[in-house]
Amino acid sequence: MRIEHIFGMIAKEGFTDITLQEIDNYINEILNGTEDFHRFNLSEHAGLCTAGAPLIGASIIACYATASLTAGSNVEGSEGQCKSRAEISSLDFCRDAVCSRSTEQGGPANWEIDEKQEQLIEQWAKAANLWEDNSEQFLIEEFGPMIAQGAEAKVYYKEGNTSVVKERTSIYSTWQKALDAIVLHNMLFPESEMSVIGFTRDSDNLMRIVLTQPYINCMRLATKEEIDDMVSAKGFRDNWNGQGVNYISDRLALEDMHPANVFVDVVTGKPICIDCIVKYVK
């Protein structure tokens, strides 16, 4: 498989110019529809493409990090036969479900996978010129002052711009899940899609994803009933007996869907989700 060829190049050569070019070629083929990234179904794949080339690249690197760690823990086949690295590094390991499976079988824990993914994404981003060292100064100069800060994101905005810029850190068990969350957000809420432009570390040394998102002119915060109706139309049901802000479907879970994360837009008069926690149902 194509992605296994890329994994082999990274393992053998690191992030050389040739390896980076091969990764870029694969990203471009995903974006133009001639290749699929098999971690996602068709509708999720559209969310992947709108998230931008840097996110696709980071997802490839996160997959490699998981595969390389898991390879050391699963060198025995189910019938005692030794597996090759190519067999171990199959696309099955691109699913984060492998994190739980490998842990149950004595493989790496989520924190080890997360640490490895973060390390390799940073190395790749620096080699690919997608890393900004002094991010706060750069973002203020290019995109305007910081206007908001929460547990997950710092938000920068210059009056009159059509987009905000966010520095988004991971609140997920692995960086792959943090990247997936952007893909899934874009699939579910295309009116507020996120587009990744790079990576950085903040003054607290937290690695962050730098992304843009449309500026939503807020009329007011959405009500619980408006949020219920919006997510119900997308196939979700309340996951807390109608009392909470968490929703679930057969495939995905939505969390943190409180009114401060869902604005009623001045132009359309409809609720728009600007941020939430979204992940696959285990």
Side-chain angles (χ1 to χ4, degrees):
M1 286 186 177
R2 178 70 175 282
I3 198 167
E4 290 177 350
H5 172 65
I6 292 172
F7 286 0
M9 292 182 70
I10 298 171
K12 184 178 180 180
E13 304 174 14
F15 298 116
T16 63
D17 289 344
I18 296 174
T19 304
L20 292 174
Q21 186 59 60
E22 187 67 18
I23 293 170
D24 285 347
N25 290 342
Y26 185 43
I27 292 170
N28 289 331
E29 288 161 8
I30 290 171
L31 288 170
N32 66 30
T34 58
E35 283 280 355
D36 291 328
F37 195 26
H38 297 286
R39 299 190 65 255
F40 303 107
N41 66 25
L42 189 60
S43 56
E44 293 163 1
H45 207 271
L48 172 72
C49 291
T50 57
L55 182 136
I56 299 174
S59 293
I60 293 168
I61 303 309
C63 282
Y64 168 73
T66 304
S68 65
L69 273 178
T70 311
S73 302
N74 293 274
V75 293
E76 288 288 321
S78 59
E79 298 181 11
Q81 296 179 341
C82 183
K83 293 185 178 182
S84 70
R85 179 172 291 273
E87 290 175 312
I88 289 167
S89 299
S90 71
L91 283 171
D92 288 341
F93 291 98
C94 288
R95 275 286 184 204
D96 243 2
V98 74
C99 299
S100 300
R101 186 168 65 251
S102 62
T103 300
E104 292 168 2
Q105 296 175 352
N110 275 344
W111 70 264
E112 295 174 286
I113 294 170
D114 181 61
E115 188 175 84
K116 186 69 170 180
Q117 289 175 352
E118 179 173 321
Q119 174 192 4
L120 289 179
I121 290 171
E122 180 173 351
Q123 289 177 12
W124 162 77
K126 287 179 176 178
N129 294 318
L130 292 169
W131 187 268
E132 180 61 45
D133 283 320
N134 194 348
S135 62
E136 184 173 348
Q137 179 181 341
F138 168 76
L139 291 173
I140 291 173
E141 290 175 355
E142 293 292 321
F143 302 106
M146 187 169 68
I147 60 169
Q149 180 175 355
E152 188 175 10
K154 298 177 182 180
V155 185
Y156 298 82
Y157 176 69
K158 184 183 297 183
E159 190 67 33
N161 284 357
T162 58
S163 299
V164 300
V165 174
K166 292 183 175 181
E167 282 184 317
R168 181 179 168 113
T169 193
S170 174
I171 58 172
Y172 295 83
S173 61
T174 68
W175 269 95
Q176 184 69 76
K177 290 182 180 179
L179 297 168
D180 286 350
I182 296 173
V183 172
L184 299 175
H185 175 99
N186 286 3
M187 177 194 69
L188 292 169
F189 309 111
E191 63 278 3
S192 61
E193 69 185 24
M194 302 175 183
S195 179
V196 174
I197 59 175
F199 302 85
T200 190
R201 286 192 182 274
D202 65 12
S203 56
D204 295 320
N205 204 36
L206 291 175
M207 192 167 90
R208 289 181 177 267
I209 303 166
V210 183
L211 58 84
T212 64
Q213 190 175 28
Y215 174 74
I216 305 300
N217 196 351
C218 176
M219 178 192 301
R220 58 176 173 81
L221 304 184
T223 65
K224 175 73 164 60
E225 291 74 19
E226 287 171 325
I227 297 172
D228 286 345
D229 291 343
M230 176 181 68
V231 298
S232 176
K234 298 177 184 293
F236 289 85
R237 59 189 181 277
D238 195 292
N239 199 30
W240 198 256
N241 298 321
Q243 302 300 311
V245 292
N246 299 335
Y247 302 85
I248 195 168
S249 70
D250 292 338
R251 184 171 173 82
L252 301 175
L254 283 173
E255 299 176 5
D256 208 28
M257 289 287 289
H258 55 76
N261 281 338
V262 185
F263 295 170
V264 174
D265 180 37
V266 167
V267 177
T268 65
K270 296 179 179 181
I272 295 178
C273 175
I274 61 167
D275 211 351
C276 68
I277 296 170
V278 55
K279 54 192 177 183
Y280 290 104
V281 176
K282 290 186 179 179

